[in-house]
Amino acid sequence: MIGVGVFATLLVIGFVAFLLNRERILKYAVAKVIQKVDNKYPAQLQIGDAQFTDFNTVLVTNIALLPDGQPKLLQIDTVEATVSFRSLFLGRMVFKQFDMANGVITAFKKDSTDNFSFLYRKQASNEPVDTTAKRSNYGTLLNRLIETAFENVPDGVNFRNLGVVFSSDGRVINMQLPTMIMEDGEIAARMTITTDSVTNTMYVKGLIDPDEYLLSAKMYGDDQSRTIEVPYIQQKFGATMRFDTLSLSITDKVFKNNQLTIRGESSAHGLVLNHPKIADENVTVQNGALKYKITLGDHYYALEPESEVRINKAVFYPELTYETRPNRKIGIRINSPEIPANDLFASMPPGLFDTFQGMKATGSFTYRLNFYVDMARVDSLKFESDLDATNFDITDFGQHDLRKLNTEFTHSVYENGKVVRTFAVGPSNPNFTPYNQIPDYLKYAIMTAEDPRFLTHKGFHDGAFRHSLITNIKENSFVRGGSTISMQLVKNAFLTRKKTITRKVEEALIVWILENERLTSKERMFEVYLNIIEWGPNVYGIKEAARFYFSKQPHQLTFEECLFLASIVPKPKQYRTYFNSYGELRAYPRYFFKLISGNMLKRGLISPSEHAGVSPYVNLSGRAGSFIIPKPDTTQVVDTMEMLAPIDLLDF
């Protein structure tokens, strides 16, 4: 009892002593904080006054953070906070609850100068630095930012009239935060963000748990705007993006062996995207979500296999890797679970894949993509793409009937997004040439040059596409295509000529359905192809081409004339440069004649005597001859092998 009494007495004495000296302890703690900032950062922390207003509530006024040699970063009028007594005794100021009023953060960046990066930039040490090594570990940087942010999260917050202004190379972001309340980890805020000419007023609700590195937030527009427009997209990329609701979260963080791994989720509702390279009109995704596992390390970035992308009802599992040292290496893998066909068609966003809007079918799809390239060994590039179906059968073609090739239909030719020519593809058109009236020489020459396996494959030639990728990567531009005749037909018959990202995917899916569902015979597909492709300026179809170049009917064409027509299919408007000032074929078409006729001989499509009799000369007796441009022949035969489509070389 005596011991308990003594202990209680000491507690009372200590408590009274603390009450009598708490102002002195508070000033000591403030001085320690100021000194700590001064030692850790190239900046000065200024605090005008700090005093207790009740038992454990401190009022701090006139707080400012001034980076050395740079404009003021932070100014806060008042902070009223509940302080941990233990932290005061340790010379620290740990806020449990605080009310912040009338503050502004003013950050700027111009070229390589700013007034904020000192907060997360690693301080210089006395150890010698290898200046020859250029290292870039964004994982370490991001981990430092995340830990700094989470370590300074208080238990409760009430922000009033907080502003953030960030200017970077002439552009300004202005955020006004009238209210923000955080209680027991729950966050509720209202803010207005102005970026250039875009102003968004939004609400934010979320949850934060600093101990578990957990953060989630949902943003949505106010009752007036209802949508949030993403800034800078128009100026930077010529695109617009807006959404009704956006959710973001971090659910886990691990930093090990200088690699940061972050798990989380994001989702968007009512997402609208517009960009001419993506689609001709607004693309709308009602529900999209991403579950991600991202790893950032020393010159290494990855979207790990556990990630998941959901677009409406369709689900895919992406895996991306990107290494920058010692060589650039890019890997892409995409796998999907079994997706019901109706779910896939219904998930295609309006504005994309318009051909499939309203289509219905039984069965299901699975998809697999494997792409990998080491930029130091481009020839070893890997590319595999497989779409498989189970019990697939179309029950309703929707807005666009893919069976139209089986009957006469109207075809429109597009250039620069505008219709320049419309004509019937069928017997009612006097320029239509049936398959049996097209010379075999022309059929075989075009198939040999463009797609030797056309009659046997199901629309795709993975080897040709792989070789195209290799050539395009080496040349750092699009110089070679890997399209089969089926793909060229679909591009001409079903799609516009606009080169958008998604058009190629739409083209591939149409080809897959045409070929795998056998909607149209190969003979009919080739017949339509030869009657609608471009052969020159405003020249479409084989009959117009035969007249334009040779004043003949298609069945009257010679072997050399058929070889010439096959040679101009990839670039029909450039036929004028195929001849010199004497009317003779230049090096490239002569080489084409030799290569294609040789391949036709190997396939048994022509006889040895027909091959031996090929002449490197054609006479443009039609109107085309008057448009020839006489120029010196500078074409090198060695270069022509790179100009030819790769398909004709893969089978030998």
Side-chain angles (χ1 to χ4, degrees):
M1 292 296 294
I2 295 174
V4 171
V6 171
F7 179 72
T9 302
L10 291 175
L11 281 178
V12 171
I13 294 173
F15 183 69
V16 172
F18 170 76
L19 292 177
L20 295 174
N21 293 278
R22 64 178 182 171
E23 294 290 346
R24 183 186 303 173
I25 295 173
L26 176 61
K27 293 186 182 300
Y28 169 76
V30 168
K32 290 281 288 184
V33 170
I34 293 174
Q35 185 63 43
K36 184 177 180 180
V37 171
D38 185 61
N39 293 337
K40 188 174 182 180
Y41 301 110
Q44 293 183 353
L45 176 64
Q46 296 180 351
I47 297 178
D49 189 26
Q51 57 183 338
F52 280 95
T53 58
D54 59 24
F55 178 70
N56 65 338
T57 302
V58 174
L59 178 64
V60 184
T61 60
N62 197 20
I63 303 169
L65 182 61
L66 291 84
D68 293 348
Q70 299 294 342
K72 184 187 298 184
L73 176 62
L74 172 69
Q75 175 67 53
I76 301 174
D77 287 355
T78 62
V79 174
E80 190 171 16
T82 301
V83 182
S84 163
F85 285 139
R86 180 175 178 274
S87 69
L88 286 176
F89 281 116
L90 296 175
R92 301 170 58 196
M93 291 181 65
V94 176
F95 298 136
K96 294 297 184 182
Q97 301 280 336
F98 71 93
D99 184 324
M100 180 187 298
N102 304 321
V104 61
I105 298 173
T106 307
F108 89 95
K109 185 179 186 301
K110 185 175 181 181
D111 299 327
S112 60
T113 304
D114 63 67
N115 68 336
F116 57 86
S117 62
F118 67 90
L119 291 170
Y120 56 80
R121 186 182 297 131
K122 189 175 182 179
Q123 302 298 308
S125 64
N126 296 326
E127 298 179 359
V129 178
D130 182 6
T131 58
T132 62
K134 295 181 179 179
R135 303 183 66 81
S136 176
N137 192 331
Y138 291 102
T140 302
L141 174 62
L142 183 58
N143 182 66
R144 192 177 301 127
L145 280 172
I146 293 174
E147 291 189 347
T148 300
F150 276 97
E151 285 173 0
N152 291 280
V153 173
D155 294 339
V157 170
N158 184 6
F159 286 166
R160 290 176 288 117
N161 299 324
L162 178 65
V164 178
V165 180
F166 175 67
S167 60
S168 175
D169 298 323
R171 287 183 170 174
V172 179
I173 299 176
N174 190 332
M175 184 183 77
Q176 298 299 319
L177 193 67
T179 61
M180 176 179 173
I181 299 174
M182 185 178 73
E183 192 70 35
D184 296 329
E186 295 186 2
I187 304 170
R190 180 170 63 90
M191 65 179 68
T192 299
I193 302 177
T194 300
T195 306
D196 292 338
S197 58
V198 178
T199 298
N200 292 302
T201 299
M202 69 185 78
Y203 292 94
V204 179
K205 289 188 177 181
L207 179 70
I208 186 168
D209 184 345
D211 296 331
E212 299 294 333
Y213 291 105
L214 173 66
L215 174 65
S216 64
K218 180 172 72 172
M219 295 173 281
Y220 54 96
D222 61 5
D223 293 336
Q224 292 183 346
S225 63
R226 296 187 180 276
T227 62
I228 300 172
E229 184 172 347
V230 179
Y232 284 149
I233 300 293
Q234 179 66 44
Q235 294 84 351
K236 184 72 175 179
F237 304 106
T240 58
M241 181 187 295
R242 62 181 184 272
F243 57 86
D244 296 339
T245 304
L246 180 68
S247 299
L248 302 169
S249 72
I250 297 175
T251 57
D252 187 31
K253 177 193 79 73
V254 176
F255 185 71
K256 186 177 181 181
N257 298 327
N258 288 324
Q259 284 193 337
L260 174 66
T261 299
I262 302 175
R263 288 181 174 85
E265 298 182 15
S266 65
S267 62
H269 177 75
L271 177 66
V272 179
L273 177 64
N274 185 296
H275 192 283
K277 291 293 184 182
I278 296 177
D280 299 341
E281 54 188 291
N282 284 344
V283 177
T284 303
V285 178
Q286 287 302 322
N287 292 287
L290 168 66
K291 292 181 180 180
Y292 63 85
K293 177 183 177 184
I294 299 175
T295 298
L296 295 86
D298 184 15
H299 299 281
Y300 177 82
Y301 315 89
L303 181 65
E304 302 288 1
E306 298 174 28
S307 303
E308 176 186 299
V309 173
R310 178 174 55 81
I311 301 175
N312 297 323
K313 296 180 179 180
V315 177
F316 300 93
Y317 303 121
E319 178 184 353
L320 309 175
T321 57
Y322 179 60
E323 299 178 54
T324 58
R325 286 195 176 187
N327 311 315
R328 276 199 304 148
K329 300 175 183 178
I330 303 170
I332 303 173
R333 289 177 181 267
I334 299 176
N335 291 285
S336 78
E338 197 165 311
I339 304 173
N342 281 340
D343 285 354
L344 179 63
F345 294 137
S347 298
M348 293 178 176
L352 297 180
F353 313 116
D354 288 336
T355 305
F356 304 103
Q357 296 302 315
M359 182 175 285
K360 297 184 184 304
T362 60
S364 59
F365 288 106
T366 57
Y367 180 68
R368 181 179 67 87
L369 171 70
N370 183 16
F371 170 84
Y372 179 81
V373 60
D374 182 341
M375 301 303 284
R377 296 180 294 175
V378 178
D379 288 329
S380 63
L381 179 146
K382 295 180 180 179
F383 177 81
E384 298 172 350
S385 178
D386 294 309
L387 178 65
D388 295 319
T390 303
N391 301 322
F392 177 72
D393 185 48
I394 298 174
T395 57
D396 187 347
F397 282 89
Q399 301 176 15
H400 301 275
D401 195 337
L402 298 182
R403 296 168 298 184
K404 77 173 187 177
L405 296 181
N406 296 325
T407 59
E408 181 170 311
F409 65 95
T410 300
H411 176 62
S412 294
V413 178
Y414 291 85
E415 285 192 8
N416 300 320
K418 297 181 180 179
V419 177
V420 296
R421 181 96 176 263
T422 299
F423 54 87
V425 182
S428 69
N429 182 354
N431 288 326
F432 179 79
T433 306
Y435 186 82
N436 57 10
Q437 295 180 22
I438 300 172
D440 289 342
Y441 283 145
L442 183 64
K443 299 173 189 173
Y444 296 152
I446 289 179
M447 277 194 285
T448 301
E450 296 291 313
D451 189 356
R453 296 180 181 174
F454 169 68
L455 296 176
T456 57
H457 67 51
K458 290 189 175 182
F460 302 97
H461 197 314
D462 288 347
F465 193 78
R466 176 181 171 275
H467 277 259
S468 298
L469 289 174
I470 291 172
T471 301
N472 294 335
I473 291 173
K474 286 181 177 179
E475 297 294 331
N476 197 28
S477 65
F478 187 80
V479 297
R480 173 182 283 176
S483 295
T484 61
I485 287 177
S486 304
M487 297 172 74
Q488 294 178 47
L489 172 63
V490 165
K491 178 176 63 178
N492 282 278
F494 293 97
L495 305 171
T496 68
R497 292 235 180 146
K498 283 200 171 183
K499 294 183 178 181
T500 61
I501 295 173
T502 55
R503 196 206 66 179
K504 200 68 178 177
V505 179
E506 185 176 14
E507 173 188 309
L509 189 51
I510 294 173
V511 169
W512 188 94
I513 292 176
L514 281 178
E515 293 274 12
N516 285 269
E517 290 296 288
R518 301 185 182 276
L519 299 183
T520 305
S521 68
K522 289 282 190 177
E523 182 178 295
R524 173 60 178 171
M525 291 173 67
F526 201 26
E527 178 184 69
V528 173
Y529 172 80
L530 294 174
N531 276 278
I532 67 173
I533 62 172
E534 183 181 24
W535 297 84
N538 199 31
V539 178
Y540 297 94
I542 181 56
K543 184 171 286 189
E544 291 186 16
R547 285 202 306 263
F548 179 71
Y549 290 103
F550 305 111
S551 296
K552 293 182 178 181
Q553 293 298 313
H555 70 275
Q556 297 173 324
L557 295 171
T558 66
F559 187 20
E560 289 81 6
E561 290 167 347
C562 290
L563 286 171
F564 171 79
L565 290 176
S567 72
I568 66 173
V569 167
K571 297 181 179 180
K573 288 189 174 71
Q574 296 186 13
Y575 80 93
R576 296 178 298 177
T577 62
Y578 279 30
F579 299 86
N580 61 25
S581 56
Y582 302 103
E584 300 170 338
L585 287 172
R586 299 180 187 274
Y588 166 67
R590 291 200 307 270
Y591 181 81
F592 182 93
F593 278 28
K594 181 179 179 181
L595 176 67
I596 299 305
S597 63
N599 286 354
M600 291 172 67
L601 175 64
K602 293 176 183 178
R603 289 179 168 273
L605 301 175
I606 58 174
S607 67
S609 60
E610 288 174 311
H611 175 257
V614 173
S615 169
Y617 177 80
V618 291
N619 177 29
L620 296 189
S621 53
R623 287 192 309 114
S626 61
F627 300 115
I628 296 300
I629 302 175
K631 287 184 178 181
D633 188 356
T634 58
T635 306
Q636 300 296 318
V637 174
V638 70
D639 296 331
T640 61
M641 297 185 78
E642 296 302 322
M643 296 171 62
L644 291 174
I647 297 177
D648 58 337
L649 302 177
L650 293 180
D651 298 332
F652 301 100

